[in-house]
Amino acid sequence: MAPALIVARRELAAYFATPVAYVFIVIFLVLSGALTFTLGNFFARGQADLIPFFSFVPWLFLFLVPALTMRLWAEERRLGTIELLLTLPLPQWQAVLGKFLAAWAFCGIALALTFPLWITVNVLGEPDNGVILSGYIGCLLVAGAYLAVGAAVSALTRNQVVAFVLAVAICFVFTAAGSPVVGEFLDARIPGIGGGRPRHLGGRPLWGLHPRRRLGPRYHLLRQLHGLLPLRECRHPRPPQGGLGA
Amino acid sequence: MAALIEIERLTKRFGGFTAVDDVSFTVDRGEVLGFLGPNGAGKSTTMRMLAGFMPPTSGTARICGADVVDQPVAAKRSLGFLPEGAPTYPEMTVTGFLGFTARIRGFRSSEADDRVARAMRMTQLEGVRLQSIETLSKGFKRRVGLAQALLHDPPVLVLDEPTDGLDPNQKHEVRELIRRMAPEKAIVISTHILEEVDAVCTRAIIIARGRVIVDAAPSVLEREGRSLEEVFRELTLGAPKQEAA
């Protein structure tokens, strides 16, 4: 077994040896379910898809993923075990990769445990399960992006609180960059960064996309859930079943 | 054959502070080197550089001929290292922790189990094998760290204060263990306890303010009827000669 996988296995076991894992999973499941059914109007929308759920996941991950990553390296420094880990005969990148994979697998487990939502939507209607799968993959990629930020910040400090707050702040900048409010602010004030005027006002996209949107993981996730995006943004030839928001 | 540990002009600076200043020495198979010095003298920093945890500002360190900066994995394979304070993962059990280091070191399942069992036997850990490390006393924790360093039977051992926190019986056992292993290995131990140098070391280096002050056999240091403690105080405090005499 590659050293990275051995490190990942140990890390994953460490999550479940402390209350962190259970608190994380329970809070994530409660909040994602509650938000989907209340703010997301899961029933009232009358559409057989999981888009309300998927659109809340990045905001939940924004706070929960840094809670996972804050201990990754900060804790090793505080305990001194970093000295042990990095003097074992494994290349440094394998240790870094192992820790990342453990946290990523953990996010995968949390996401997989939302399967009752998927069952619900399949009982109530006929959703396009391909789109749902694509949404789950998108959520996993969003988690991976936040994890990378969080792990890097955790390596900079031995204080877990500092690691958490910094990671949330940095991830927030990226998440907010994809939201309309921040995007239009950027477009209006900094045309270079904002990519000119919004496309519907005649602005020309740079490299085929507005750069400020490319910054935000949420934008990429929404592209994968193209069911509710306006048709002109939809590059996919086949419109998903179960309702189209345009 | 070249010495198992070769350190050449090793220097470490933190900003304007020089923690280790131009330190050179070699350790051959069969030698037990006692690394002495007051707190903050640069003992742990030297050991961290030798273990490949901290890159030196200048100079080189080689373990069994492998440079710790250029061939870190090869160097670390031949090394058993007990870091300062014997850090371990508190939530793991003793066998879980030792099994983890065994697998990282490339031992497959049954051999890993044998290695773990052997290391626990050598350090008398069998009684607590399924306890989580955070519930153990300080002496047991130190021995878990030691077991981890001995697990793969490395030719080079670097132990930072291996007997700190142990009771007199446990100290005696660890010294016996070091003495037993000494003929086939090159061992460096750092310590504040001077009688330990008499008990196990074939050679002593005294380091102060990052520099090597003395490199000699303990018996040489103690000649003229002076105790090692007097010599240590005189050298590291820089006490005037006429007062000591």
Side-chain angles (χ1 to χ4, degrees):
Chain A
M1 197 159 39
L5 293 181
I6 301 169
V7 173
R9 218 177 91 181
R10 199 211 71 77
E11 280 301 320
L12 198 57
Y15 279 126
F16 286 97
T18 57
V20 175
Y22 303 100
V23 170
F24 179 98
I25 288 179
V26 169
I27 300 268
F28 174 72
L29 293 180
V30 167
L31 284 182
S32 65
L35 288 172
T36 303
F37 283 99
T38 56
L39 286 179
N41 290 324
F42 182 73
F43 290 127
R45 288 169 75 245
Q47 290 174 12
D49 58 34
L50 285 180
I51 281 161
F53 165 69
F54 288 131
S55 60
F56 287 120
V57 165
W59 294 105
L60 287 176
F61 275 171
L62 175 62
F63 290 96
L64 292 175
V65 167
L68 279 185
T69 55
M70 66 180 189
R71 57 171 285 284
L72 272 186
W73 293 102
E75 177 85 345
E76 297 260 359
R77 270 170 186 274
R78 198 179 59 78
L79 291 172
T81 45
I82 190 165
E83 216 170 314
L84 181 92
L85 181 65
L86 297 185
T87 55
L88 287 171
L90 78 166
Q92 202 160 332
W93 66 268
Q94 295 252 12
V96 172
L97 182 67
K99 280 181 171 277
F100 177 81
L101 286 179
W104 212 15
F106 186 86
C107 290
I109 294 171
L111 273 175
L113 287 174
T114 61
F115 70 91
L117 280 174
W118 174 75
I119 293 176
T120 308
V121 82
N122 269 280
V123 168
L124 293 177
E126 285 177 14
D128 185 335
N129 282 318
V131 172
I132 289 178
L133 181 67
S134 153
Y136 272 109
I137 293 172
C139 287
L140 207 53
L141 293 175
V142 170
Y146 289 169
L147 283 173
V149 171
V153 170
S154 175
L156 295 176
T157 173
R158 68 177 64 208
N159 186 319
Q160 298 200 12
V161 177
V162 173
F164 175 80
V165 173
L166 274 181
V168 171
I170 295 172
C171 290
F172 179 76
V173 169
F174 283 104
T175 310
S179 81
V181 181
V182 178
E184 264 152 41
F185 176 84
L186 286 179
D187 282 342
R189 309 289 158 101
I190 320 169
I193 289 178
R197 295 161 65 192
R199 209 183 310 193
H200 63 270
L201 297 178
R204 289 218 346 267
L206 204 56
W207 308 307
L209 265 178
H210 293 281
R212 53 100 177 153
R213 287 185 153 160
R214 288 151 61 109
L215 282 177
R218 208 164 156 268
Y219 174 71
H220 292 278
L221 175 60
L222 287 175
R223 269 173 65 78
Q224 280 191 280
L225 308 172
H226 44 71
L228 268 193
L229 289 173
L231 265 181
R232 64 173 174 276
E233 297 250 339
C234 180
R235 308 257 162 103
H236 203 283
R238 182 175 60 99
Q241 296 155 13
L244 211 57
Chain B
M1 202 188 84
L4 294 186
I5 301 176
E6 299 163 275
I7 288 184
E8 264 169 51
R9 315 207 57 170
L10 206 59
T11 302
K12 181 74 189 178
R13 288 189 204 93
F14 297 104
F17 172 69
T18 307
V20 175
D21 190 3
D22 202 16
V23 167
S24 303
F25 60 84
T26 60
V27 186
D28 282 314
R29 195 180 293 273
E31 274 193 298
V32 181
L33 174 68
F35 213 46
L36 302 172
N39 283 327
K43 299 191 297 286
S44 291
T45 308
T46 307
M47 289 180 143
R48 279 177 187 155
M49 286 191 282
L50 178 57
F53 175 65
M54 224 177 228
T57 309
S58 65
T60 55
R62 281 189 296 276
I63 293 174
C64 296
D67 189 294
V68 296
V69 177
D70 297 335
Q71 302 151 270
V73 176
K76 286 165 187 173
R77 242 181 230 125
S78 322
L79 168 76
F81 179 48
L82 175 69
E84 186 182 22
T88 44
Y89 294 108
E91 78 282 353
M92 296 181 94
T93 63
V94 174
T95 36
F97 174 73
L98 294 176
F100 165 69
T101 59
R103 281 192 300 277
I104 290 266
R105 291 192 178 279
F107 297 115
R108 298 298 181 97
S109 50
S110 69
E111 201 192 353
D113 293 344
D114 291 348
R115 293 269 173 181
V116 170
R118 192 174 137 270
M120 287 196 296
R121 206 163 49 242
M122 286 169 86
T123 49
Q124 282 104 37
L125 284 169
E126 285 119 322
V128 295
R129 52 198 298 269
L130 294 178
Q131 253 174 273
S132 68
I133 294 173
E134 62 197 338
T135 64
L136 298 177
S137 68
K138 200 177 170 194
F140 271 118
K141 282 180 187 159
R142 178 90 18 175
R143 281 186 280 161
V144 173
L146 200 57
Q148 162 276 126
L150 303 176
L151 186 106
H152 51 300
D153 198 19
V156 172
L157 273 178
V158 176
L159 310 174
D160 202 343
E161 298 184 355
T163 59
D164 188 42
L166 301 186
D167 68 35
N169 296 333
Q170 294 166 340
K171 272 185 190 155
H172 178 76
E173 276 156 19
V174 169
R175 284 174 199 164
E176 282 301 308
L177 182 65
I178 291 173
R179 246 202 296 268
R180 270 203 307 281
M181 295 185 300
E184 303 103 64
K185 296 187 195 303
I187 303 177
V188 179
I189 60 171
S190 83
T191 181
H192 299 297
I193 309 159
L194 296 171
E195 79 246 26
E196 200 155 281
V197 178
D198 272 330
V200 294
C201 296
T202 60
R203 197 174 132 203
I205 283 183
I206 299 183
I207 182 171
R209 289 174 294 277
R211 287 176 161 276
V212 173
I213 297 179
V214 176
D215 183 349
S219 54
V220 176
L221 289 175
E222 285 174 330
R223 69 179 170 208
E224 299 158 18
R226 294 189 303 167
S227 77
L228 200 53
E229 195 173 326
E230 281 175 89
V231 178
F232 179 84
R233 284 173 55 79
E234 183 189 313
L235 289 170
T236 56
L237 293 174
K241 271 252 162 165
Q242 60 270 28
E243 255 184 54

